[in-house]
Each structure stands twice: as C-alpha cells, then as structure tokens.
Amino acid sequence: MSEPSGDCPLCPRLAAFRGEWRGREPGWHNAPVPSFGSADARLLIVGLAPGLRGANATGRPFTGDFAGDLLYRTLIDFGFASGEYRAAPDDGLRLQDCRITNAVRCVPPQNKPEPAEITQCRPFLEAVIAGMPRLSIILVLGQIAHQSTVRALGEKASRLPFRHAGEVQLGRVTLVSSYHCSRYNTNTGVLTEAMFRDVFARIRSLVA
C-alpha cells in the first residue's frame, strides 16, 4: 500500500497532533496527505512533510504555503505542470510526467518529524517508488527527504551525503538533490530562485 489510511495510527505523536487540529479546524484535510500526480510519471519529487496551514489544510502536497508558490511556478515553467496554481486543490493544476510525495505524510509539530516517524513512514515512500514503472528521476528537497529516499532505495545515507545540486545514479533512478524551497531558505539566501531553476534545467535535460 503506497498511501496510508486517513486515520493512520503508526506515529502516535502525529496522530494526536492531527486530532488536535481536527478539533480546531474541522474543515481542513487533517490527515496523511496522498501523493499527487500519475504513477506513470518519470519524475518523482519528495518533500519533507505537509505544512500545517499548507498541505495539511488542503490535502495536496505543497499546496497553500510559500514553498508551493515557488515549486509549482517552476514546474509550470519547465513543462512538468500545466494550468494555473492558485493554492487550492481544485485550482485545476495538472502535473505532467511528474508526481509529488513527502517523506513523512502527516504534519509534524513545529515542522520537525522525529527520526522514528521518518522510519515508520518510509514503507509508503518505498511503495510509491516501486509503483512507478517509468520512474527515472527522483528530486529530493532537503536533507531529511534525501536521507529517507536514499534508504528507501536500499543505500546507506552515510555513504551518500546531501549536497545541493547533487546527482547520483542508484539503480534505475538518478537521484537529484536540492535545498528545500521553503520560505526560510529563500529568505536567507540558502536557496535562490535561480539555483532552484538550475536544478530543474538539469532535470529537464535528463527527461527530455
């Protein structure tokens, strides 16, 4: 099973946090966020976890927060998405030859999943990867997504440390790494839009 149930109990702390926000905001998604895009895609993007007022609220990865503004704009510019991104799951935006998921499917307090929670959620990431027969590129956003994806691909994270714009071949998949497109990273200059676009230019050349 590549998608957890809506009431997944594997991580008690995250389940309790979901329950708290179901009480506060009953109209929000407040459940594990499913992958977005076709399993036939050649590109898989792996983020960290849903944002509290972003994907946790809307139910679609990177939808409703700053990171999504940059990510979806870039996807559209490089032909991996079409339509208009309006930060809502019913905006009609469609992914093209691209799928998006998260290393951790539930929103964590302070946006910081614990190591055990990352491990508990990894089988879902492994199942997503295994269920994509045409997959050739995985883009990981940030160090935690990088480490979890490396492990999901059967490698040791210590052997393949994270670096921005890193690229390594792991079996049938080319793993490309980028700093996360979070507001903090872009505001502090850790990641500029030009740096992010350079990563996508490389990916576009690989899946032309």
Side-chain angles (χ1 to χ4, degrees):
M1 179 184 296
S2 63
E3 303 297 333
S5 68
D7 290 306
C8 180
L10 291 178
C11 302
R13 187 181 75 115
L14 301 190
F17 193 59
R18 289 195 322 255
E20 175 188 338
W21 279 93
R22 284 177 180 177
R24 291 191 191 187
E25 296 286 352
W28 286 6
H29 177 72
N30 289 315
V33 174
S35 304
F36 174 38
S38 172
D40 286 332
R42 289 180 292 171
L43 170 62
L44 175 66
I45 298 173
V46 182
L48 169 57
L52 177 61
R53 300 179 184 278
N56 177 65
T58 64
R60 192 176 75 181
F62 288 90
T63 299
D65 55 25
F66 176 85
D69 294 344
L70 177 55
L71 177 61
Y72 285 115
R73 180 169 69 245
T74 308
L75 288 173
I76 291 169
D77 288 349
F78 282 89
F80 289 111
S82 62
E84 182 182 355
Y85 172 69
R86 296 195 301 273
D90 60 354
D91 56 14
L93 182 135
R94 297 173 61 88
L95 296 182
Q96 298 178 176
D97 207 10
C98 177
R99 196 178 195 192
I100 303 175
T101 195
N102 279 307
V104 175
R105 298 301 190 89
C106 295
V107 58
Q110 290 81 52
N111 202 36
K112 295 179 180 179
E114 295 179 347
E117 293 162 351
I118 300 167
T119 300
Q120 284 279 26
C121 215
R122 190 170 302 122
F124 298 112
L125 177 58
E126 293 170 349
V128 166
I129 293 170
M132 296 181 68
R134 299 177 65 238
L135 180 64
S136 61
I137 305 287
I138 299 179
L139 170 63
V140 290
L141 300 177
Q143 183 169 331
I144 291 176
H146 171 90
Q147 291 174 340
S148 193
T149 303
V150 166
R151 291 183 175 117
L153 291 169
E155 286 286 347
K156 293 182 178 180
S158 59
R159 194 177 76 81
L160 298 171
F162 170 83
R163 64 181 179 87
H164 178 75
E167 183 178 323
V168 63
Q169 191 71 30
L170 294 174
R172 67 185 177 110
V173 171
T174 301
L175 183 69
V176 179
S177 303
S178 172
Y179 291 127
H180 196 285
C181 49
S182 66
R183 183 188 297 272
Y184 176 82
N185 281 348
T186 56
N187 282 351
T188 58
V190 169
L191 178 70
T192 65
E193 185 163 353
M195 290 167 63
F196 201 52
R197 291 180 66 86
D198 284 346
V199 169
F200 272 91
R202 173 58 179 161
I203 291 171
R204 184 77 274 176
S205 74
L206 293 172
V207 292

